[in-house]
Amino acid sequence: MSADIAETPDSDRDGNAGDPNFMTSLARGLSVIRAFTERSPNLTIADIAKITGLPRAAARRCLLTLMQLGYVGTDGRTFFLKPKILALGYSFLSSAPLATILDPLIEQVSGTLQESSSAAVLDEDEVVYIARAATKRIMSVGLNVGSRLPAYCTSMGRVLLAHLPETELDAYFARVELKAFTERTITNPDVLRREFERVRERGFALVDQELELGLRSVAVPVRTASGSVVAAINASTQAARVTCPEMEARFLPPLHRAAEEARVLLVRTPVA
């Protein structure tokens, strides 16, 4: 293991140089996998190197290793993920009680509202979807389990950020670039902090066309018995069909019911 770390002088970029328990080659392989997205499903070695910051030779070795294991394929010029990669995500979903609990609940929300509903957790600076029930595609980019979005301009992200300890929130603002996705996107840290206060006071977050024009979403926290926020669930719709006041009046009751049912179930199945 120590030899693997010594193999690459650029391991400093991971912030773990000198840690005898850190396997650089594994970290590199995971960064290569994460480089593939819906918008970039086919990538060259040069693309991978640019996205990950790895040397071309290291990117090539990672890709060839993933090919031999059946996780990556190639057309001779570009590389792409193969279906076997889904087994990695399934391992999480099949072993995570939170995802198992929330999946049927958001199906109920979606069925009641006839709108898309999702559940997400905070992972570093983004929300990652752990359950989703979609009735129709309402965004230009399709969302599925495993999809990631910026936390500050999404309803579930705001719910989760609003309940972070103050020191963690300060660190978040210190490192995150607040990019405007639409003319409605809030990018002022002070204004966002006031939004988070409103979220805590009201018990929900409503985001109106800040991530994408035409998209409205409302989210509520999922709490454990002790009151800790471990996830968020939402319902989203097209702005042309449903007003913000209507979302509060019609969407919040089933979301709150689902969140309360999740809290009861989490008492029986504690989440680490």
Side-chain angles (χ1 to χ4, degrees):
M1 190 177 295
S2 59
D4 184 73
I5 296 174
E7 170 197 341
T8 59
D10 60 321
S11 62
D12 285 346
R13 74 162 51 89
D14 299 302
N16 293 280
D19 184 349
N21 296 311
F22 186 79
M23 187 178 290
T24 302
S25 58
L26 176 58
R28 289 178 161 191
L30 293 173
S31 71
V32 167
I33 291 173
R34 291 196 300 269
F36 294 93
T37 66
E38 182 180 20
R39 290 177 175 171
S40 303
N42 292 73
L43 297 169
T44 64
I45 292 175
D47 293 331
I48 294 287
K50 181 178 180 180
I51 293 169
T52 62
L54 295 175
R56 287 174 62 107
R60 178 178 177 275
R61 287 198 302 273
C62 287
L63 286 165
L64 294 180
T65 300
L66 290 167
M67 278 185 61
Q68 290 186 39
L69 294 174
Y71 293 112
V72 166
T74 183
D75 58 12
R77 189 183 75 85
T78 65
F79 295 83
F80 52 86
L81 297 180
K82 296 183 70 174
K84 187 177 179 180
I85 204 75
L86 295 172
L88 301 179
Y90 180 75
S91 297
F92 165 75
L93 292 174
S94 61
S95 62
L98 187 57
T100 303
I101 286 170
L102 293 179
D103 187 64
L105 296 177
I106 65 165
E107 288 282 356
Q108 291 176 18
V109 172
S110 180
T112 299
L113 298 174
Q114 290 300 295
E115 301 284 359
S116 297
S117 181
S118 307
V121 295
L122 194 63
D123 184 32
E124 297 180 346
D125 301 331
E126 299 175 308
V127 290
V128 58
Y129 283 62
I130 61 171
R132 179 154 172 84
T135 58
K136 55 183 74 68
R137 181 159 170 166
I138 58 175
M139 286 188 66
S140 59
V141 177
L143 294 175
N144 299 289
V145 172
S147 293
R148 305 174 73 92
L149 291 174
Y152 65 92
C153 57
T154 57
S155 61
M156 290 190 290
R158 286 200 183 157
V159 164
L160 295 166
L161 289 172
H163 291 88
L164 285 180
E166 196 65 28
T167 53
E168 291 185 30
L169 194 56
D170 289 341
Y172 171 83
F173 279 118
R175 67 177 178 265
V176 172
E177 178 187 359
L178 302 176
K179 171 186 172 184
F181 288 88
T182 75
E183 64 268 22
R184 294 172 174 262
T185 310
I186 299 174
T187 57
N188 183 302
D190 293 331
V191 176
L192 276 173
R193 286 180 186 273
R194 289 195 291 272
E195 280 295 311
F196 296 159
E197 290 175 7
R198 292 185 71 223
V199 169
R200 290 191 293 270
E201 292 171 359
R202 303 170 79 191
F204 68 91
L206 197 158
V207 173
D208 184 13
Q209 305 179 77
E210 293 189 43
L211 178 65
E212 184 171 300
L213 290 176
L215 175 69
R216 286 188 177 128
S217 178
V218 62
V220 302
V222 174
R223 300 178 183 272
T224 62
S226 65
S228 300
V229 174
V230 292
I233 55 176
N234 83 342
S236 50
T237 188
Q238 293 173 334
R241 291 193 295 105
V242 184
T243 65
C244 290
E246 184 181 356
M247 289 190 77
E248 293 186 28
R250 188 162 66 87
F251 286 30
L252 283 175
L255 283 170
H256 282 309
R257 286 195 297 270
E260 175 58 21
E261 189 169 345
R263 186 191 66 79
V264 173
L265 292 171
L266 287 170
V267 172
R268 306 171 194 166
T269 314
V271 176

